[in-house]
C-alpha cells in the first residue's frame, strides 16, 4: 500500500468514524429527550446539526462525488450501480437534514409531539447514513484499492486533506474542539467515552 493510498483511506475512514459518532450522539440524545429522560440542550442539538451541515454535507460528500467516485468510474464499471446509489443518496441527504432542522425548531418552540417526531426522524437519518457509509466502506473503498493508480491516490489524498475536519484537530477552531469534547462524552463505546447503554 502506497503512502498516498494510506493517507487517503485514513482520512476517508476517519471522517466516516467522526460522522458516525456525531450522528450516534444525536440519536441517543433525541431518544432520551423523547422518553423524558433528558432535558433538551438546544445549544448542543443545534451544534450537532451545524457540524453535519458544515462539514460532511459541505466538504466530505462533494469530495467523494467530485474526486473519489469519478476516479473509480474511470478505472472500472464493476460498481457503477453502487456509485450511482451513493451519489443519489448524497443528493437526498440535504432534504433529510433540512427536515431535522424544521423538527428541532418545532421542538424548541414547544409544539406538542415534536420531540417524538424529531426522535423518529433522527433514527431514520441515522439508519440512512449508516447504510450509506457501509456501502462506501464495503464496495467502493475495496474496489478503489484494487483499481486505482498511485496518481489517482495522490489526487484523492490531496483533495481530502483540504477538508481539515476540525473534529480531528486539523482546524484552529476552539469552538469545534469544545464541541467534540462534549460529543465524545455523550457517545457510548466504541465511538466515544460515555458509558455503554
Amino acid at each position: 500500500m502506497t503512502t498516498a493510498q494510506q493517507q487517503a483511506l485514513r482520512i476517508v475512514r476517519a471522517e466516516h468514524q467522526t460522522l458516525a459518532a456525531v450522528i450516534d450522539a444525536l440519536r441517543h440524545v433525541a431518544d432520551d429527550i423523547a422518553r423524558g429522560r433528558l432535558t433538551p440542550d438546544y445549544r448542543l442539538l443545534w451544534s450537532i446539526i451545524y457540524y453535519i451541515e458544515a462539514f460532511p454535507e459541505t466538504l466530505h460528500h462533494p469530495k467523494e462525488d467530485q474526486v473519489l467516485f469519478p476516479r473509480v468510474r474511470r478505472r472500472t464499471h464493476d460498481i457503477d450501480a453502487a456509485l450511482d446509489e451513493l451519489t443519489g443518496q448524497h443528493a437526498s441527504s440535504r432534504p433529510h437534514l433540512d427536515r431535522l432542522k424544521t423538527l428541532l425548531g418545532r421542538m424548541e418552540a414547544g409544539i406538542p409531539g415534536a420531540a417524538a417526531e424529531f426522535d423518529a426522524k433522527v433514527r431514520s437519518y441515522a439508519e440512512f447514513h449508516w447504510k450509506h457509509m457501509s456501502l462506501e466502506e464495503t464496495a467502493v473503498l475495496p474496489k478503489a484499492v484494487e483499481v486505482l493508480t498511485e496518481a489517482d491516490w495522490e489526487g484523492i489524498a490531496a483533495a481530502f486533506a483540504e477538508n481539515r475536519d476540525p473534529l480531528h484537530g486539523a482546524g484552529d477552531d476552539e469552538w469545534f474542539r469544545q464541541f467534540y469534547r462534549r460529543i465524545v462524552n455523550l457517545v457510548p463505546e466504541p465511538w466515544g467515552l460515555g458509558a455503554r447503554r
Side-chain angles (χ1 to χ4, degrees), residues 98-162:
D98 289 343
R99 181 64 180 153
L100 276 177
K101 290 160 70 174
T102 298
L103 291 173
L104 179 54
R106 286 170 56 84
M107 190 168 76
E108 191 170 16
I111 295 173
E117 286 184 273
F118 181 72
D119 180 44
K121 184 59 185 176
V122 167
R123 287 176 181 276
S124 68
Y125 185 74
E127 187 69 21
F128 168 81
H129 268 285
W130 290 330
K131 288 179 178 177
H132 176 83
M133 289 187 287
S134 177
L135 184 57
E136 290 177 339
E137 296 272 350
T138 60
V140 177
L141 296 184
K143 183 57 70 172
V145 168
E146 180 184 324
V147 302
L148 295 184
T149 66
E150 176 65 5
D152 290 328
W153 285 113
E154 287 172 357
I156 293 165
F160 275 88
E162 291 173 358

Side-chain angles (χ1 to χ4, degrees), residues 56-129:
E57 290 291 341
T58 304
L59 294 174
H60 179 81
H61 292 165
K63 290 289 171 64
E64 289 175 332
D65 288 338
Q66 297 162 16
V67 181
L68 176 60
F69 295 173
R71 281 172 166 78
V72 174
R73 284 185 192 275
R74 281 199 296 268
R75 303 294 177 194
T76 182
H77 295 292
D78 290 352
I79 59 168
D80 280 356
L83 293 173
D84 290 344
E85 182 177 351
L86 291 166
T87 301
Q89 289 172 354
H90 285 165
S92 67
S93 181
R94 175 84 54 177
H96 285 294
L97 185 61
D98 289 343
R99 181 64 180 153
L100 276 177
K101 290 160 70 174
T102 298
L103 291 173
L104 179 54
R106 286 170 56 84
M107 190 168 76
E108 191 170 16
I111 295 173
E117 286 184 273
F118 181 72
D119 180 44
K121 184 59 185 176
V122 167
R123 287 176 181 276
S124 68
Y125 185 74
E127 187 69 21
F128 168 81
H129 268 285

Side-chain angles (χ1 to χ4, degrees), residues 49-59 176:
I49 298 295
Y50 171 74
Y51 171 77
I52 294 170
E53 188 169 36
F55 188 77
E57 290 291 341
T58 304
L59 294 174
F176 271 114

